[in-house]
Amino acid sequence: MVAEMRSVDVDSSGPARAEELVVLEAVEQRVLWLSAAIIDHANRVRPNPTGLKVGGHQASSASMTSIMTALWFHSLTAGDRVSVKPHASPVLHAINYLLDELDESYLTTLRAFGGLQSYPSRSKDPDPVDYSTGSVGIGATAPLWGALARRYVEGHFGGAGTGRQYSLLGDAELDEGAIWEAIQDPTVPGLGEAVWIVDLNRQSLDRVIPGIAADKLRGMFAAAGWQVLTLKYGHLLQELFTRPGGEALRARIDTMGNPEYQRLLRCSADQLRKRLPGNGSTAESIAELIASLDDASLLAALRNLGGHDIGALIDAYDAVDDTRPTVIFAYTIKGYGIPTEGHPQNHSSLLTADQMSALADRLGVDLGHPWTRFAEGSAEATLCTEAAQRLRRPGYELQQAPAVPTDLGRTAPTGMGNTQQALGRVLLDLTRRAPEAANRIVTVSPDVSSSTNLGGWLNKVGVWSPTERPNWFADDAETILHWREQPTGQHVELGIAETNLVGVLGELGATWSRWGQPLLPIGVVYDPFVNRALEPWSFGIYAGGQSILVGTPSGVTLAPEGGAHQSITTPSLGIEQPGCVTYEPAFAIDTEWCLLTALGNLGKTGGSSAYLRLSTRPVDQTLAAVPTDPAARERHRRHVTAGAYRMRQHEKPMVTIAAMGALVPEALAAADRLTALGQAADVVCVTSPDLLFRALQARRGLSDDPTWVLDQVFPLDRATPLVTVLDGHPHTLAFLSTIQNVPVSTLGVTQFGQSGAIEDVYRYHGIDTDSIVSTALDLID
């Protein structure tokens, strides 16, 4: 694919176009005022007894007003969706107010409790927000995965329609590695509805960026197959470039470093006439050219960049090629149109009362009545009304997620097996026993499908692709994994980038709230790399995405893999993640029940994400001791999915061993030895420390979660000293001692792992059977 890199010139010909631009520019000025006033009220007008700075980013908002005005009031359609850079949230609220999508009462609540959020939030803002942003790089990439999710829903169930997916981001945000992981993924070049608009103001939080990186950035996008459009100069400068000396002026500005240009913005007209020509051979011709301009025209021309020229912006939006992703580099000035314009430290600066008064006078608004709308019947009011009607989206009736069975009725497995194997088996069982639920499942993997036991599922349902692709190995008898890529596939394969994986999960998990079509997304990743994916997955949950993340294989149980592939902290991270339930089952049947419960909580109001930590350690499945009686089996299942169940129970226990996941066999062996020594030991299998902690919080009156599992698994009449053990950090289960306030010793992994046999590694970390026995005896004594 040959990528296109070109500049977009302004075409403002014709009286109709000129009239439209006048009205759009008037709306732009009102958006500028409203965004500045929203921030001003939060910081200078609203009572603030603590004196703590509220903030709100007036300069960052000002640099986006032209881009967003042209987009919302001219180019957007009802099917389009937009991710707005975090620091431009006041601009979004100002636009929604003019579109009558936000009540005036909220304009005074920026960053107040229950008011407008600091950054755009789908779940917390009172007005329409398409994508939550705030974490650098994550909000910018979300529309890529939103485009994929829309295509998936439309292809499988219909109702998602069409539309562009816009990302509005600052140029400093392109420093974030998540950006480049996303644009180079093999799936992205086919997403032609993706349009990124880069606010190229050449400033970050602390400084003016010293180098000129635009050419390099354009080349990187072009190499990834994107259409690249550049809006550098507006119509005033372009007209100047046609005059004698104009080419010299263009060359002077083109080669000027960012800090020098920013400094010129702070100059008076007299200073500008001295500094702008420079000292080169073309200085005289530039001086002669700008001598023909009056002061106001000279100052306006220097600021006339493409990202502030409504006509140029409209032309760029019209030039988007929908057959491939597009990036528009729109040159802007941070703080454009306000007194802090172009200052290197304007990122968090706030306008004074005098500056706000002067801005109100210049923009023709009443400082005493800052929220006044356009006069009814005016061209501006008409434009706002027409835009609101054009952008009004049809309502979507939320389709109820299909019922997921709580138990597939399988006889409990026998022999040796592991929880990772159970994942693939459950998915295949669902295709036979609950096909409606299975049809809603979509799995995602960053190139680890075969090594995480998804091979059978892939062979059954196929790999999703926007178009069908030939499987050149279909007739190869030695090929076990059949890679059938087609629009009906239910597995999305990505490159090796966990950030992309959870980005897709978040958007697939939000389709119920976008188009009323619930999906049941499951992402599979090596557990050691969950930490790498945690922040964007957490942000996806915050934005309303409901999904299941499976971390497998896990822990130092991966003994031969060494420390680099042995996860330690992930069990506790699952507890700490809001909007998510974490499970670490020990047996295949426990995995089935926990996974089915997690699937049943997806795709609905009040639903929840889940994290399953699975293992490849072979375990004797008969140790699970699943009852054969149907009522007893159901009772056992309820305990498994509530967080814990009892495995050994003595009349007069001296100690209790609470174990999780792969360490349950060691706990059972230790209990048998202790009992043989005359020190009876109960054993509790913990399947979800998260749910147990929630139950404990509820018992203390801090939540509404059920508490029955504590009473049945850790009753007061069986309270004994407690040993906890897991293949992860020991503090994960330390809180269990507070259920009945008993002495506790916590065993787990607190150091980087070692390569070796599993027995050696367990002994090294003190989580082997001998260590459990010794620790229990110390507690009993």
Side-chain angles (χ1 to χ4, degrees):
M1 179 183 294
V2 178
E4 177 185 14
M5 291 194 296
R6 65 184 178 89
S7 296
V8 179
D9 294 327
V10 184
D11 178 15
S12 57
S13 59
R17 175 65 179 273
E19 183 178 339
E20 179 190 19
L21 293 179
V22 169
V23 178
L24 281 167
E25 287 164 4
V27 173
E28 172 197 18
Q29 295 299 296
R30 186 59 57 90
V31 171
L32 174 65
W33 166 256
L34 287 170
S35 62
I38 288 170
I39 299 166
D40 179 66
H41 191 281
N43 288 271
R44 194 179 56 81
V45 181
R46 193 170 68 214
N48 184 7
T50 66
L52 186 67
K53 180 180 176 181
V54 177
H57 304 100
Q58 286 172 324
S60 293
S61 293
S63 71
M64 289 293 296
T65 54
S66 309
I67 291 171
M68 294 176 67
T69 299
L71 191 59
W72 261 265
F73 293 94
H74 181 274
S75 299
L76 280 186
T77 70
D80 298 336
R81 281 178 164 77
V82 189
S83 171
V84 177
K85 79 171 188 178
H87 294 163
S89 64
V91 183
L92 178 61
H93 298 311
I95 288 174
N96 280 335
Y97 173 63
L98 292 178
L99 295 176
D100 207 23
E101 294 280 6
L102 180 66
D103 189 79
E104 181 179 321
S105 61
Y106 282 104
L107 300 181
T108 60
T109 67
L110 179 68
R111 302 191 173 200
F113 186 80
L116 300 176
Q117 298 300 297
S118 305
Y119 310 122
S121 172
R122 286 193 73 223
S123 57
K124 294 186 176 182
D125 271 316
D127 53 333
V129 174
D130 291 333
Y131 289 97
S132 296
T133 59
S135 185
V136 174
I138 305 305
T141 57
L144 296 177
W145 317 128
L148 187 154
R150 185 204 62 75
R151 289 193 184 203
Y152 187 96
V153 168
E154 180 64 20
H156 283 75
F157 308 106
T162 60
R164 290 178 179 173
Q165 300 277 339
Y166 289 90
S167 291
L168 310 182
L169 62 157
D171 53 345
E173 199 165 359
L174 295 177
D175 291 344
E176 173 55 54
I179 298 287
W180 304 106
E181 287 186 350
I183 71 165
Q184 63 80 42
D185 189 273
T187 305
V188 170
L191 302 176
E193 60 266 55
V195 180
W196 286 16
I197 305 171
V198 179
D199 171 17
L200 195 67
N201 60 43
R202 294 159 289 181
Q203 280 187 243
S204 60
L205 189 151
D206 290 328
R207 61 175 182 167
V208 177
I209 305 301
I212 302 176
D215 287 342
K216 178 181 70 174
L217 294 172
R218 286 193 288 265
M220 293 168 72
F221 276 96
W226 289 50
Q227 178 192 26
V228 181
L229 304 177
T230 300
L231 291 177
K232 190 166 187 179
Y233 301 118
H235 69 282
L236 294 178
L237 275 174
Q238 288 185 18
E239 193 280 326
L240 275 182
F241 295 155
T242 65
R243 301 184 189 183
E247 285 302 320
L249 177 62
R250 180 195 286 269
R252 167 81 169 114
I253 298 176
D254 279 345
T255 57
M256 187 182 295
N258 294 335
E260 182 182 3
Y261 176 78
Q262 297 286 107
R263 182 63 187 89
L264 292 179
L265 294 173
R266 309 294 298 173
C267 290
S268 66
D270 287 342
Q271 293 171 327
L272 193 56
R273 295 183 192 281
K274 296 175 182 178
R275 292 190 178 208
L276 180 56
N279 299 314
S281 59
T282 61
E284 184 176 350
S285 62
I286 296 173
E288 291 177 356
L289 171 61
I290 63 177
S292 64
L293 303 176
D294 59 40
D295 289 352
S297 298
L298 175 59
L299 294 173
L302 182 68
R303 289 156 171 76
N304 184 226
L305 299 183
H308 298 304
D309 193 300
I310 298 290
L313 288 161
I314 290 173
D315 290 337
Y317 302 156
D318 290 344
V320 168
D321 175 5
D322 289 320
T323 65
R324 53 187 168 150
T326 295
V327 60
I328 300 172
F329 286 97
Y331 281 72
T332 61
I333 298 169
K334 194 165 185 174
Y336 179 75
I338 63 176
T340 58
E341 181 180 77
H343 194 281
Q345 278 84 53
N346 66 6
H347 183 82
S348 299
S349 65
L350 297 168
L351 300 188
T352 65
D354 289 342
Q355 288 174 326
M356 283 297 296
S357 179
L359 182 64
D361 290 342
R362 182 171 68 80
L363 298 179
V365 294
D366 184 352
L367 183 62
H369 299 87
W371 320 123
T372 303
R373 296 178 181 272
F374 290 113
E376 187 175 350
S378 66
E380 293 81 5
T382 300
L383 178 62
C384 292
T385 300
E386 291 173 348
Q389 293 172 346
R390 183 182 72 251
L391 298 175
R392 190 159 293 123
R393 294 170 180 163
Y396 294 101
E397 181 179 352
L398 176 58
Q399 301 295 310
Q400 187 171 355
V404 178
T406 57
D407 189 344
L408 295 176
R410 263 184 178 263
T411 303
T414 58
M416 303 299 288
N418 62 59
T419 55
Q420 179 179 289
Q421 291 171 341
L423 169 67
R425 190 203 73 199
V426 171
L427 294 178
L428 283 175
D429 281 353
L430 281 169
T431 63
R432 294 185 289 267
R433 305 190 185 197
E436 289 188 6
N439 286 341
R440 295 278 173 169
I441 291 175
V442 51
T443 55
V444 188
S445 166
D447 198 38
V448 294
S449 302
S450 56
S451 56
T452 53
N453 285 84
L454 288 182
W457 164 258
L458 259 70
N459 288 342
K460 179 74 173 180
V461 302
V463 178
W464 179 82
S465 174
T467 57
E468 187 165 357
R469 297 173 181 171
N471 178 11
W472 296 106
F473 289 85
D475 58 348
D476 187 334
E478 296 182 5
T479 299
I480 299 175
L481 189 64
H482 301 294
W483 208 260
R484 294 178 292 109
E485 296 181 87
Q486 53 199 1
T488 57
Q490 290 179 243
H491 174 79
V492 177
E493 185 78 3
L494 300 171
I496 305 174
E498 287 76 17
T499 297
N500 292 347
L501 167 89
V502 294
V504 172
L505 271 186
E507 291 308 315
L508 291 170
T511 59
W512 67 274
S513 61
R514 292 198 189 280
W515 302 289
Q517 291 287 357
L519 297 176
L520 309 179
I522 302 173
V524 182
V525 63
Y526 288 169
D527 196 67
F529 308 135
V530 165
N531 282 331
R532 190 183 299 174
L534 189 62
E535 186 224 350
W537 189 52
S538 174
F539 209 79
I541 294 174
Y542 169 77
Q546 298 171 7
S547 62
I548 297 172
L549 183 64
V550 177
T552 183
S554 62
V556 299
T557 298
L558 285 169
E561 295 283 348
H565 277 174
Q566 296 173 358
S567 53
I568 298 172
T569 62
T570 48
S572 62
L573 289 175
I575 298 176
E576 297 154 13
Q577 175 58 51
C580 166
V581 178
T582 182
Y583 300 96
E584 186 166 345
F587 301 101
I589 191 68
D590 295 359
T591 304
E592 173 187 309
W593 290 335
C594 292
L595 180 59
L596 293 175
T597 299
L599 286 168
N601 283 328
L602 298 179
K604 58 187 178 183
T605 303
S608 171
S609 292
Y611 161 54
L612 272 69
R613 189 175 190 251
L614 305 184
S615 172
T616 51
R617 184 191 181 185
V619 172
D620 180 1
Q621 297 299 305
T622 62
L623 293 175
V626 179
T628 56
D629 179 82
R633 176 187 173 104
E634 173 58 17
R635 180 179 183 273
H636 183 64
R637 185 200 66 79
R638 288 183 66 243
H639 278 82
V640 169
T641 58
Y645 59 94
R646 304 188 72 83
M647 300 192 71
R648 294 279 195 278
Q649 185 165 305
H650 293 273
E651 184 177 352
K652 293 183 178 180
M654 301 296 292
V655 67
T656 299
I657 303 171
M660 189 164 75
L663 269 295
V664 166
E666 277 65 31
L668 293 172
D672 291 342
R673 285 172 51 182
L674 286 166
T675 301
L677 292 171
Q679 308 289 345
D682 283 358
V683 177
V684 171
C685 178
V686 175
T687 54
S688 175
D690 188 359
L691 292 176
L692 296 182
F693 183 75
R694 295 184 192 198
L696 187 59
Q697 292 291 84
R699 175 183 283 181
R700 295 166 177 160
L702 300 176
S703 77
D704 297 325
D705 292 282
T707 63
W708 64 265
V709 67
L710 300 182
D711 300 325
Q712 295 196 16
V713 180
F714 297 97
L716 181 59
D717 61 356
R718 303 192 66 81
T720 67
L722 182 66
V723 177
T724 66
V725 60
L726 75 154
D727 187 357
H729 200 283
H731 78 77
T732 305
L733 299 180
F735 73 91
L736 295 179
S737 67
T738 65
I739 296 173
Q740 299 298 353
N741 295 316
V742 297
V744 65
S745 286
T746 58
L747 303 180
V749 182
T750 58
Q751 304 177 55
F752 288 114
Q754 299 286 339
S755 296
I758 194 169
E759 296 84 2
D760 296 332
V761 172
Y762 279 9
R763 190 179 306 112
Y764 171 78
H765 291 288
I767 55 176
D768 59 319
T769 302
D770 285 350
S771 296
I772 298 172
V773 171
S774 177
T775 301
L777 291 173
D778 287 342
L779 271 178
I780 295 170
D781 288 344

